[in-house]
Amino acid sequence: MREMTSPTDAAARATPAAAQQPDWPDPARVDRVRRRLRALPPPVAPAAVDRLRGRLAEVAHGRALLLQGGDCAETFAGNTPAHIRANLRTLLHTATLLEVASGLPVVPVGRVAGQYAKPRSNPYDTDGLPSYRGDLVNATTPTAAARTPDPARLLRAHADARATLGVLDAVAAETRTELFAGHEALLLDYEIPLTRRAPDGARRGLSGHFLWIGERTRQPGGAHVEFARGIANPVGVKVGPGTTPAEVLAYADALDPHRSPGRLTLISRMGADRVADALPPLVTAVAAAGHPVIWLCDPMHGNTVVANSGHKTRHFDTILAEIRGFFAVHAALGTHPGGLHLEFTGDDVTECLGGSQDLRDTDLPTRYDTACDPRLNARQTLDLTCLIAKTLLTPTTPRKPLNIA
Ligand code: PEP
Ligand code: MN
């Protein structure tokens, strides 16, 4: 009962403008599901959330790197041990290569065990049906019934997240690493009921260890920023090329008022041709204000194109170009390039172009399995990491940690 009147709940309810929420046909059913989620054991443990925050403090200080990666959209059907393990293997291989190249520890955070909700630019698809919003909301099948938002999916997501975390814990034990789970905190009817207040008084979001706000829901003062303000997790905000210095300062003030290293990650997703111009004013503004944010490079979401075949895709070279641009900006400003946020899978898909396999437009239909955005396959991820390792993260690269006030 106490949770129903918590500041987080009240803030989210009082904010009418929560962007990208489904139009539930039966709100009373959503309320019942929310009550059930509040009663269930949450997916992750508060202590693990705090451990991640501690490890991210090292990233903020310039003494470690952060690697986030996995599916654009996890699906319930795709939640098999083989798929989860393949993605985590790719995450760990990438982390190891970056560690060897940089001489710095790498903190691995999967886009996993909760990456079930998708923001959409258009509420309707080309057939006039409600858009697919992720398995948390509706199904990809192009029928009106399948696209109707179904709150029972919140309970399925909770169960699948817990099962996925079981695999993640097994992989962590086998590899003697600590693995963390993160996702976009988009659907507030899922995220808010999975927050818990600990005896220390702090509320944490326990749907995942790391929660981020997407480019489409990052309105300063909006419901998602208010949600993130109310939880003690490490949180991220995606920032695209339209982001202003005033906005990033607003995120820093709202989400990290105590200037606590590890609390806030800004995930730059500018596009390869914009990063050199769009990123420096933002990095300069937060550095000048003394905020110890982590800067992460998402080289995927600013570089999506539509192939002749109609498939959404991204070219390996463009992805690499944005990463190089990101590192160049930080080298010029003397700030720490905190790491990468990627969409990849360990499966042998054909969704992105290029790489050593030289995938072409005509290859895309072969194994285009993503439920949303195109992912690098295992080989392309390895190719990319080797190139980054070779050119950008040699142990001799001078590193000037951000001077935290
Ligand atoms: C995503 O990470 O899948 C996504 C939708 O990203 P963005 O919010 O940066 O567009
Ligand atoms: Mn995506």
Side-chain angles (χ1 to χ4, degrees):
M1 283 301 109
R2 216 169 107 210
E3 285 178 31
M4 293 188 68
T5 55
S6 75
T8 309
D9 250 51
R13 291 230 174 94
T15 310
Q20 297 281 343
Q21 304 305 291
D23 207 356
W24 300 114
D26 183 355
R29 269 189 76 206
V30 182
D31 283 345
R32 282 198 296 279
V33 166
R34 286 177 62 127
R35 274 198 297 280
R36 180 72 188 130
L37 286 175
R38 276 198 287 270
L40 284 166
V44 305
V49 171
D50 295 351
R51 276 200 303 281
L52 175 60
R53 191 158 160 179
R55 292 197 56 191
L56 293 185
E58 290 297 293
V59 180
H61 285 298
R63 298 192 289 255
L65 294 172
L66 169 60
L67 173 67
Q68 299 185 332
D71 294 323
C72 174
E74 293 175 279
T75 62
F76 299 152
N79 278 338
T80 63
H83 174 66
I84 298 162
R85 281 178 173 273
N87 280 19
L88 294 176
R89 192 163 53 235
T90 299
L91 180 72
L92 286 170
H93 283 169
T94 304
T96 303
L97 279 169
L98 293 176
E99 261 179 15
V100 169
S102 66
L104 298 175
V106 175
V107 184
V109 178
R111 284 178 64 112
V112 74
Q115 184 51 31
Y116 299 124
K118 298 313 299 174
R120 301 319 301 248
S121 307
N122 196 327
Y124 294 95
D125 70 9
T126 46
D127 299 328
L129 290 169
S131 293
Y132 171 63
R133 290 184 174 274
D135 275 19
L136 194 49
V137 174
N138 56 9
T140 48
T141 317
T143 63
R147 293 288 172 82
T148 303
D150 177 2
R153 288 174 169 274
L154 276 60
L155 297 172
R156 172 75 194 266
H158 169 273
D160 274 40
R162 283 180 59 93
T164 300
L165 288 161
V167 178
L168 181 131
D169 287 342
V171 172
E174 289 158 18
T175 56
R176 296 193 187 85
T177 52
E178 184 158 33
L179 281 164
F180 298 97
H183 65 263
E184 178 175 349
L186 180 66
L187 187 66
L188 297 179
D189 287 320
Y190 182 72
E191 300 299 336
I192 292 170
L194 290 176
T195 64
R196 298 288 183 274
R197 190 182 292 285
D200 66 0
R203 179 171 291 274
R204 292 173 184 77
L206 298 180
S207 62
H209 305 111
F210 184 97
L211 300 175
W212 75 83
I213 300 168
E215 164 75 358
R216 291 166 191 77
T217 51
R218 63 175 175 80
Q219 299 77 19
H224 293 82
V225 172
E226 287 307 299
F227 167 74
R229 237 155 63 88
I231 56 172
N233 301 55
V235 294
V237 183
K238 294 276 203 99
V239 290
T243 313
T244 63
E247 280 172 343
V248 289
L249 290 175
Y251 302 138
D253 286 343
L255 297 173
D256 184 24
H258 306 299
R259 303 179 180 216
S260 163
R263 158 70 174 163
L264 179 61
T265 298
L266 295 175
I267 309 171
S268 160
R269 32 90 83 223
M270 300 297 175
D273 53 355
R274 304 290 301 276
V275 63
D277 294 331
L279 183 57
L282 308 185
V283 175
T284 305
V286 284
H291 277 284
V293 306
I294 295 169
W295 281 102
L296 214 59
C297 173
D298 167 358
M300 315 299 293
H301 290 89
N303 298 308
T304 314
V305 294
V306 180
N308 292 335
S309 54
H311 293 89
K312 266 205 281 184
T313 191
R314 295 154 173 161
H315 200 288
F316 180 92
D317 296 345
T318 320
I319 294 167
L320 180 62
E322 177 153 358
I323 297 171
R324 287 188 166 145
F326 173 87
F327 278 91
V329 165
H330 286 285
L333 296 175
T335 45
H336 181 55
L340 300 174
H341 180 114
L342 303 172
E343 286 183 345
F344 58 61
T345 171
D347 301 333
D348 187 20
V349 299
T350 56
E351 299 170 2
C352 289
L353 303 170
S356 66
Q357 296 163 320
D358 193 22
L359 291 183
R360 309 283 177 98
D361 267 32
T362 47
D363 297 315
L364 292 177
T366 317
R367 280 180 306 280
Y368 194 92
D369 295 341
T370 183
C372 193
D373 289 339
R375 303 159 294 179
L376 295 163
N377 65 29
R379 178 75 234 180
Q380 289 170 322
T381 310
L382 200 63
D383 294 337
L384 186 75
T385 314
C386 287
L387 289 169
I388 300 162
K390 209 152 83 184
T391 61
L392 296 170
L393 290 171
T394 59
T396 53
T397 303
R399 224 170 286 284
K400 281 189 245 161
L402 191 64
N403 191 17
I404 295 156

